[in-house]
Amino acid sequence: MAPRPQSSAAGVLALLSEPEPLLKEHALKALNALVPQFWAEISEHIELIESLYESEELSKDAHNSAALLASKLYYYLGDYDEALSFALGAGNAFEAEGRTPGAQEYVETVISKAIDRYVAARREEQTEGGGKVDPKLQNVIEGIFRRCIQDGEYKQAIGIALESSRLDVIEHIYKLTNDISLLSYTMEAVIDTGFSLSYRDQVLKFLLPLFPPPTVNTHSPHVHSLTRLLVTLSSPELTVPLLTSLVPDDKLLAYQFAFDFVEGGSQDFLEAIRNDLPGEEGEHQAIYETLRRILAGQQSVKLYLEFLKRNNKVDMLILKHTKDSLEPRSSIYHTALSLQNAFMHSGTTSDTFLRENLEWLALASNWSKFTATAALGVIHKGHFQEGMNILGPYLPQPNGGESGIPGAAYSEGGALYALGLIHAGCGSGRQVEGYLRDALKAATVEVVQHGAALGLGVAGMGGKNAEAYEDLKQVLYSDSAIAGEAAGYAMGLIMLGTADPTAADEMLVYARETQHEKIIRGLAIGLAFIFYGRQEQADATVKELLAEKDPILRYGGVYTLALAYAGTANNDAVRKLLHIAVSDTSDDVRRAAVTSLAFLLFKNPSSVPRIVQLLSESYNPHVRSGATLALGIACAGTGLQDAVEILEPMTKDSVDFVRQGALIALGMVLVEQSEASSASMASTRTLYHKVIGDKHEDPVARFGATLGQGLIDAGGRNVTINLQSRAGSRNTSAIVGMVLFSQFWYWYPLAHCASLAFQPTGIIGIDGNLDAPKFDFISNARPSLFAYPPPTKPPKKETVTKVAAAVLSTTAKQKAREKKKAADNGEAMDTDEKKEADVEMKTDEASTSTQKQGEITPKSRREPSFEKLSNFSRVTPAQMPHIVFPADGRYQPVRAVSAYPAPKGGKVNANGVKLTSEKYAGGGGILVVVDTRPDEEAEYIDLSTIHAVHTADGVTVEIREGGRESEYPRDLHISLNENAPEADPPEPFEYPFDNDT
């Protein structure tokens, strides 16, 4: 007979009032099992249960049972703090409860509250030096640590240890496991989560000595992690000892670290390392000199320039279609095509399109001329040696006087801006910075001052040059709207990330005093640059700016908040931006708030579509426009289908500037995607072609389509857009470039700064002499997944063809009989002989074909599952984890090619392509390789962009770093007819900007 279910706890509760302690103890244990069913009834006696907990006449087990019972009751009543307090008093009874079936939810909730309380107590203990942590709470947390370690849940234990500042636990786990990946996980957690700067630096300095010393022989897998750690700390005192420890035995690894530091380090950090490296003469002097040359940054830029020049795959027919479709006399269309050409040829040094379209170029006037000249800086970005020669005809006269040519000021200003773009991020403390400062001081026309200020800011970015800052401040105080706006941007760029209170106060005071909106906007964004990456140090300034009445200063406050916490995904910052996006009275501020989400969340792009989904459907078109750019910037280069699915309907939005944003964002998201890896690639290219060619489409939307088409094919189809460096740290130049690009809404020339975010994607192998040997490596993926897009086919001329006349089968039979009869009679039938061949219409007769029914056609050739690539080949970020160097190959990299392993299983997109980790698949880039067979003669790639020198007899020769000379190869020029012989390059020329007729 089955036992009857219990309908009440009254009988057991009555035992609590009995005088016998044993009965009370039995009742407490029985009630613990009944709480989930009868908690409402038992809670009426909670005071009695608490008194039993405090009673001294009961045993320790009874005390623990009473505490556990009270804890459960408070849990069901929703008072979790009281539930935790009694659980701490329950001792072993609470630990035993964790093994009771059905109690998991209660135990997990209480433990979660315990961790929160412990973290708060530890924080209070450390910051205020006040009260101690409750020993009972400490015991519970120690038990959690023990359980996590026993179960192998090391990452969970590390997370709690980080939150509660228990670095001893992290060290204990590492010594127990010797797992370097756990140190890397700890480093990523503390950098990418919203910890304070001081605590972040404390943890990173604690982790650094735990990493084992890297060596070439062990192929240390943690080189990426060490690079990111040292770049984040930006401490020469910690970096220089690492480099010196690698000399001379592991000098190749030291070179690799130097190249990786250049990828993500600031200019002042790199300069400090160069100055602190040993300088005395000795046997290792040559190695240190090579390290200094690499850390100067220009070596990396030259190698990438060579890579882009060699692999240039620009489709000239796309540019031709845009030129033929857009009216060149319209300023917006001329600017759009200038930007598209600049993006597509960025870093390739190929000005073929400009040479072939001089008449179109001559139609530029005023600011279109400024933009077109500045485009030369994007095309020749990194071409340091030839920069002054290329821009020479357009630069201002040495004496600073005004040119007599009408409109020359615009080309002069554009040329100075272009010079800054050529030296972007590498000009601080070098000759170009002095030249731009002199040009700024000598200029009397505000357009030239504008170009000089922008060029100085971009070239000297993060250089903290006080003299350049003072020169810009003098231009600002002239109160010229055009020159002052550029000075505001440039002042922020020069003092990037310094959080300098004096500079911030000066800029904020002047922004409140001036009447020019352009100057206020320049200073507002400049303030954001000053507090880049400063996190909580920017909070006071952000609060002050967001409280301003002037919407432009609130606009600056939004960008200050976003840049201060760039890449941290800080919850408070995200929450604040979302609140501003739906509540501010200014449309500009709301749009900026939505766009700024991208700068916080770019390290986790898959979360952005979910966050902006509702904002993309807002009634306010400015919020929708901001959502498009947020998706474009955060998901750039990922081909993320969730982002594409939100953007595609927005290309049909009723508002022109929303369509513009969607078209630009699609280009960013789909850059370097193939038709095999992204289902939307072909349709997006078709959409660009249609919008640009539609004369009835709004000019703003056509402008967006033109920019989007330039971005999707940027850098000769060999660059991606990413706000992270290859080691995983923030890519400062890219973040700054995208913030300035976002200002194209107000000022089109700033769109050129998108080129700062272009990251060449290839593998560039160099040896210990910084020469590039010839070698091959394997990509373990189908070639079509990462192939270049097929070239555009020129439109075919339609030819009219005569259709053969149809003849009924009965007529054909009749004619055949007549013909036979005539032949028998010897008559010549000339009827129908000279006519077009008739087509017989078959009726019920069986049709004959060359292929028999059921015959099997030969199978099409299967695509190979891998491909062999050579040094200086394009390798996309998604392809990087699939790259393998053959074990028997002569050259082997000194560090892992990719920061993340190739995906096994996991997410698969609509085309069956395995998706990489949500994190950026870093790695690749410049790889220092070790020669395993140094006795054999090596073959080298001639690097044409290292240094060009013109000799007296007019022959151009190349001076290699090793002293070898070779004839400088001619630039490759693209011919629309692939079969035609390649034409000689044209003679040097000047763009006829001033023939505006």
Side-chain angles (χ1 to χ4, degrees):
M1 183 177 175
R4 294 177 60 188
Q6 194 166 348
S7 60
S8 172
V12 185
L13 285 168
L15 295 176
L16 293 177
S17 303
E18 292 290 330
E20 181 58 46
L22 284 174
L23 291 174
K24 292 178 181 177
E25 187 173 341
H26 170 74
L28 289 169
K29 289 181 179 178
L31 286 170
N32 265 310
L34 297 174
V35 169
Q37 189 176 0
F38 301 110
W39 63 268
E41 183 180 357
I42 301 171
S43 64
E44 295 177 3
H45 301 79
I46 197 165
E47 291 181 3
L48 174 60
I49 295 167
E50 287 185 26
S51 66
L52 291 174
Y53 165 64
E54 296 167 358
S55 172
E56 296 180 357
E57 61 181 30
L58 295 179
S59 67
K60 185 177 180 182
D61 288 344
H63 272 285
N64 291 346
S65 296
L68 181 62
L69 180 58
S71 174
K72 287 184 177 180
L73 289 172
Y74 278 116
Y75 164 73
Y76 282 107
L77 290 168
D79 191 344
Y80 298 136
D81 289 327
E82 285 294 325
L84 172 60
S85 299
F86 280 102
L88 294 176
N92 296 334
F94 178 72
E95 288 188 23
E97 186 70 15
R99 297 184 287 274
T100 304
Q104 284 82 0
E105 189 176 340
Y106 157 71
V107 172
E108 287 175 6
T109 304
V110 172
I111 286 177
S112 144
K113 290 298 294 183
I115 293 170
D116 289 345
R117 185 180 292 187
Y118 181 70
V119 169
R122 286 280 299 170
R123 197 169 292 152
E124 184 179 343
E125 183 182 37
Q126 290 189 328
T127 54
E128 300 175 11
K132 296 283 184 181
V133 177
D134 184 352
K136 294 177 181 178
L137 181 60
Q138 184 79 35
N139 290 337
V140 171
I141 298 299
E142 294 295 343
I144 293 171
F145 283 136
R146 283 195 300 273
R147 200 174 310 126
C148 287
I149 292 171
Q150 287 169 4
D151 296 344
E153 298 287 346
Y154 301 119
K155 291 184 178 180
Q156 198 170 358
I158 288 171
I160 299 170
L162 276 178
E163 289 280 356
S164 56
S165 305
R166 287 290 303 275
L167 302 184
D168 57 307
V169 175
I170 297 172
E171 185 175 12
H172 171 69
I173 291 173
Y174 174 65
K175 288 181 177 177
L176 193 68
T177 61
N178 284 322
D179 187 351
I180 301 174
S181 66
L182 291 176
L183 294 180
S184 299
Y185 170 79
T186 307
M187 180 205 69
E188 290 177 1
V190 78
I191 292 176
D192 295 340
T193 321
F195 290 103
S196 67
L197 279 180
S198 56
Y199 180 59
R200 182 198 73 184
D201 291 350
Q202 177 191 345
V203 174
L204 294 180
K205 288 174 182 175
F206 169 79
L207 291 175
L208 183 59
L210 294 181
F211 280 100
T215 62
V216 171
N217 296 331
T218 57
H219 298 287
S220 307
H222 55 284
V223 172
H224 285 289
S225 298
L226 276 175
T227 302
R228 187 178 181 193
L229 189 153
L230 291 167
V231 167
T232 303
L233 284 174
S234 291
S235 170
E237 296 79 15
L238 298 174
T239 308
V240 172
L242 173 68
L243 292 176
T244 53
S245 70
L246 298 172
V247 176
D249 297 336
D250 292 311
K251 69 174 185 178
L252 296 183
L253 194 55
Y255 295 163
Q256 184 66 67
F257 270 113
F259 277 118
D260 290 346
F261 290 151
V262 171
E263 292 281 347
S266 61
Q267 286 198 44
D268 59 324
F269 170 56
L270 299 173
E271 191 63 32
I273 299 174
R274 293 180 69 212
N275 294 335
D276 291 352
L277 284 173
E280 68 277 0
E281 291 193 13
E283 55 180 334
H284 306 321
Q285 183 186 13
I287 298 174
Y288 288 123
E289 285 303 318
T290 303
L291 282 172
R292 286 191 179 89
R293 199 161 77 244
I294 295 169
L295 289 166
Q298 298 193 358
Q299 191 74 29
S300 297
V301 176
K302 289 172 188 174
L303 288 169
Y304 286 129
L305 188 68
E306 174 69 19
F307 164 76
L308 293 174
K309 190 174 180 181
R310 283 176 175 273
N311 295 285
N312 183 9
K313 294 288 190 298
V314 170
D315 193 333
M316 300 297 283
L317 285 178
I318 293 177
L319 284 166
K320 183 176 184 301
H321 171 259
T322 305
K323 183 182 79 71
D324 294 342
S325 301
L326 300 182
E327 170 54 49
R329 291 189 180 276
S330 169
S331 174
I332 184 172
Y333 290 150
H334 200 287
T335 298
L337 184 52
S338 293
L339 291 169
Q340 185 188 61
N341 177 51
F343 291 159
M344 291 173 75
H345 283 103
S346 174
T348 64
T349 71
S350 170
D351 50 16
T352 310
F353 177 77
L354 299 174
R355 291 174 183 271
E356 293 175 354
N357 295 281
L358 297 179
E359 291 181 5
W360 166 81
L361 204 57
L363 295 174
S365 61
N366 299 334
W367 289 107
S368 294
K369 183 183 294 187
F370 180 94
T371 306
T373 315
L376 289 171
V378 179
I379 293 170
H380 294 277
K381 184 171 176 282
H383 207 178
F384 300 128
Q385 279 83 7
E386 301 298 320
M388 294 294 287
N389 294 338
I390 293 163
L391 296 171
Y394 320 108
L395 289 169
Q397 297 175 5
N399 57 11
E402 287 190 39
S403 170
I405 305 171
Y410 292 97
S411 56
E412 290 175 1
L416 292 169
Y417 181 22
L419 194 61
L421 289 168
I422 287 175
H423 294 266
C426 294
S428 179
R430 295 187 172 84
Q431 182 181 357
V432 66
E433 187 176 47
Y435 176 83
L436 287 167
R437 283 182 56 207
D438 292 342
L440 180 68
K441 288 184 282 190
T444 55
V445 182
E446 58 182 4
V447 177
V448 180
Q449 289 177 325
H450 180 90
L454 284 179
L456 180 58
V458 172
M461 185 194 312
K464 305 177 178 59
N465 186 325
E467 295 175 349
Y469 175 82
E470 287 299 323
D471 292 342
L472 290 163
K473 192 165 67 172
Q474 294 309 312
V475 173
L476 175 72
Y477 288 166
S478 68
D479 208 41
S480 160
I482 292 172
E485 179 188 27
Y489 290 126
M491 289 164 73
L493 288 169
I494 294 290
M495 306 302 285
L496 183 70
T498 59
D500 186 305
T502 305
D505 287 344
E506 288 175 347
M507 292 168 71
L508 186 55
V509 167
Y510 195 80
R512 287 170 174 157
E513 290 177 355
T514 186
Q515 300 299 310
H516 296 294
E517 288 188 0
K518 292 171 76 68
I519 294 178
I520 299 172
R521 184 170 293 107
L523 289 169
I525 299 299
L527 277 168
F529 289 144
I530 285 180
F531 288 98
Y532 166 74
R534 305 307 296 189
Q535 296 191 18
E536 67 272 7
Q537 296 175 17
D539 287 349
T541 304
V542 170
K543 186 177 179 181
E544 188 178 359
L545 287 171
L546 292 178
E548 291 282 344
K549 290 182 179 179
D550 188 338
I552 303 177
L553 286 177
R554 294 204 303 277
Y555 177 93
V558 165
Y559 275 103
T560 306
L561 175 63
L563 290 185
Y565 290 93
T568 64
N570 182 279
N571 285 333
D572 291 336
V574 171
R575 197 176 297 115
K576 197 173 290 185
L577 287 178
L578 288 172
H579 174 70
I580 294 169
V582 296
S583 64
D584 200 275
T585 54
S586 166
D587 284 336
D588 284 356
V589 177
R590 294 176 71 173
R591 186 183 66 252
V594 183
T595 302
S596 295
L597 288 169
F599 298 106
L600 291 172
L601 301 169
F602 63 80
K603 288 186 179 176
N604 188 15
S606 61
S607 66
V608 179
R610 190 174 65 252
I611 291 174
V612 304
Q613 171 77 55
L614 290 175
L615 295 171
S616 69
E617 299 168 4
S618 168
Y619 73 92
N620 188 320
H622 289 267
V623 173
R624 299 201 299 275
S625 175
T628 62
L629 277 185
L631 286 167
I633 294 169
C635 304
T638 63
L640 198 64
Q641 196 59 32
D642 291 345
V644 173
E645 287 171 0
I646 295 174
L647 290 169
E648 282 182 334
M650 299 180 81
T651 60
K652 302 178 181 67
D653 197 278
S654 58
V655 180
D656 54 0
F657 59 79
V658 178
R659 297 199 299 277
Q660 178 193 65
L663 291 163
I664 292 173
L666 275 174
M668 292 183 181
V669 174
L670 295 175
V671 63
E672 277 205 326
Q673 301 297 309
S674 68
E675 293 184 8
S677 64
S678 176
S680 304
M681 193 66 179
S683 60
T684 301
R685 288 186 178 278
T686 304
L687 177 65
Y688 286 146
H689 190 276
K690 175 178 173 294
V691 172
I692 292 172
D694 184 0
K695 297 188 182 298
H696 302 291
E697 179 61 84
D698 193 278
V700 171
R702 295 177 82 187
F703 181 89
T706 308
L707 258 63
Q709 198 168 49
L711 291 167
I712 207 170
D713 286 336
R717 295 177 169 172
N718 293 299
V719 302
T720 189
I721 299 171
N722 204 316
L723 305 192
Q724 288 188 80
S725 73
R726 289 180 176 83
S729 58
R730 286 190 305 247
N731 185 341
T732 301
S733 290
I735 294 170
V736 168
M738 275 298 144
V739 170
L740 288 171
F741 171 76
S742 302
Q743 311 311 311
F744 80 86
W745 179 277
Y746 307 100
W747 198 233
Y748 285 151
L750 291 175
H752 280 309
C753 291
S755 62
L756 301 182
F758 293 169
Q759 192 175 78
T761 57
I763 285 187
I764 301 171
I766 58 171
D767 62 11
N769 298 321
L770 305 190
D771 290 328
K774 292 182 178 179
F775 61 82
D776 293 329
F777 52 91
I778 305 298
S779 170
N780 285 321
R782 300 202 322 270
S784 63
L785 293 184
F786 308 110
Y788 285 105
T792 307
K793 295 179 181 178
K796 295 181 179 178
K797 293 183 179 179
E798 295 184 4
T799 55
V800 180
T801 56
K802 294 184 73 176
V803 180
V807 180
L808 292 174
S809 59
T810 52
T811 308
K813 290 175 184 176
Q814 178 65 27
K815 285 183 178 179
R817 283 195 295 269
E818 291 177 359
K819 191 173 183 180
K820 185 180 179 183
K821 186 177 178 181
D824 292 341
N825 297 332
E827 297 176 7
M829 279 192 67
D830 51 8
T831 56
D832 300 316
E833 285 293 323
K834 297 177 184 178
K835 292 184 179 179
E836 294 288 339
D838 294 333
V839 178
E840 185 177 348
M841 293 179 64
K842 309 272 184 185
T843 52
D844 53 351
E845 294 183 5
S847 64
T848 59
S849 66
T850 56
Q851 184 181 329
K852 296 179 181 176
Q853 190 173 1
E855 185 178 331
I856 300 174
T857 58
K859 288 186 177 179
S860 58
R861 187 179 175 187
R862 288 191 63 185
E863 185 181 9
S865 59
F866 70 94
E867 65 177 321
K868 185 181 286 188
L869 301 171
S870 59
N871 193 10
F872 275 79
S873 290
R874 181 185 92 150
V875 179
T876 67
Q879 187 180 8
M880 207 66 75
H882 302 280
I883 297 300
V884 175
F885 276 68
D888 58 348
R890 176 173 178 176
Y891 294 97
Q892 298 293 330
V894 298
R895 68 152 163 83
V897 176
S898 174
Y900 302 101
K904 296 178 181 178
K907 295 182 180 179
V908 176
N909 71 5
N911 288 317
V913 181
K914 288 183 180 178
L915 302 178
T916 55
S917 165
E918 285 186 355
K919 290 182 174 293
Y920 175 59
I926 298 172
L927 286 177
V928 179
V929 293
V930 59
D931 187 353
T932 60
R933 299 195 287 273
D935 298 334
E936 299 178 14
E937 188 176 352
E939 289 186 77
Y940 290 98
I941 299 171
D942 283 332
L943 303 181
S944 60
T945 56
I946 291 295
H947 191 49
V949 177
H950 301 281
T951 58
D953 55 358
V955 178
T956 303
V957 296
E958 174 201 3
I959 307 299
R960 296 288 306 278
E961 297 292 345
R964 297 196 303 272
E965 291 187 5
S966 64
E967 188 174 341
Y968 189 75
R970 290 174 174 173
D971 289 343
L972 297 176
H973 288 270
I974 298 167
S975 172
L976 297 184
N977 180 2
E978 294 182 357
N979 298 320
E982 187 171 293
D984 289 334
E987 295 297 323
F989 69 103
E990 289 189 21
Y991 301 147
F993 280 134
D994 304 306
N995 300 333
D996 293 333
T997 55

